[in-house]
Amino acid sequence: MGAMANPVILTVDDDPVVSRAVARDLRRRYGERYRVVRAGSGPEALDALREIKLRGEQVALLLADHRMPEMTGIEFLVAVWSRSTRWTSPCTRARSSV
């Protein structure tokens, strides 16, 4: 029997530059203990979660941008909550242009 996979941190952001930077920072800090997965939209993240579940992997954290075109971060988290009773600590991220 092989070693268990590291839990997943799933990040969701429609801006590729921001998405890469967030994933890079998370990998630098948590890469030894977690596998960082990026998604470019809420629907893409839901697909990624289905794949993660099919593999029997665990998700440690969902980190979603709040303002995205197809599905906001809140809508994404609500969609996740509606499919699972496991999630108790949502996290959305918003950037300000102040």
Side-chain angles (χ1 to χ4, degrees):
M1 189 148 114
M4 288 188 61
N6 287 343
V8 172
I9 295 174
L10 176 62
T11 70
V12 190
D13 198 307
D14 62 305
D15 183 328
V17 173
V18 173
S19 180
R20 281 191 300 271
V22 168
R24 180 197 63 228
D25 291 347
L26 288 169
R27 284 185 184 111
R28 282 182 184 162
R29 178 66 177 93
Y30 302 106
E32 290 183 25
R33 294 177 298 180
Y34 298 93
R35 183 166 72 92
V36 178
V37 175
R38 293 188 307 136
S41 68
E44 184 181 323
L46 292 173
D47 289 342
L49 285 172
R50 280 191 277 281
E51 290 295 319
I52 290 164
K53 182 178 180 181
L54 285 173
R55 289 190 206 118
E57 295 177 307
Q58 293 195 344
V59 176
L61 175 69
L62 301 173
L63 179 65
D65 184 17
H66 177 66
R67 296 169 79 183
M68 296 184 290
E70 290 179 67
M71 175 186 277
T72 69
I74 298 297
E75 291 168 335
F76 164 69
L77 293 172
V78 167
V80 171
W81 286 330
S82 71
R83 292 167 172 81
S84 173
T85 58
R86 289 186 43 221
W87 300 103
T88 58
S89 300
C91 181
T92 61
R93 198 171 54 70
R95 56 183 174 260
S96 174
S97 58
V98 176

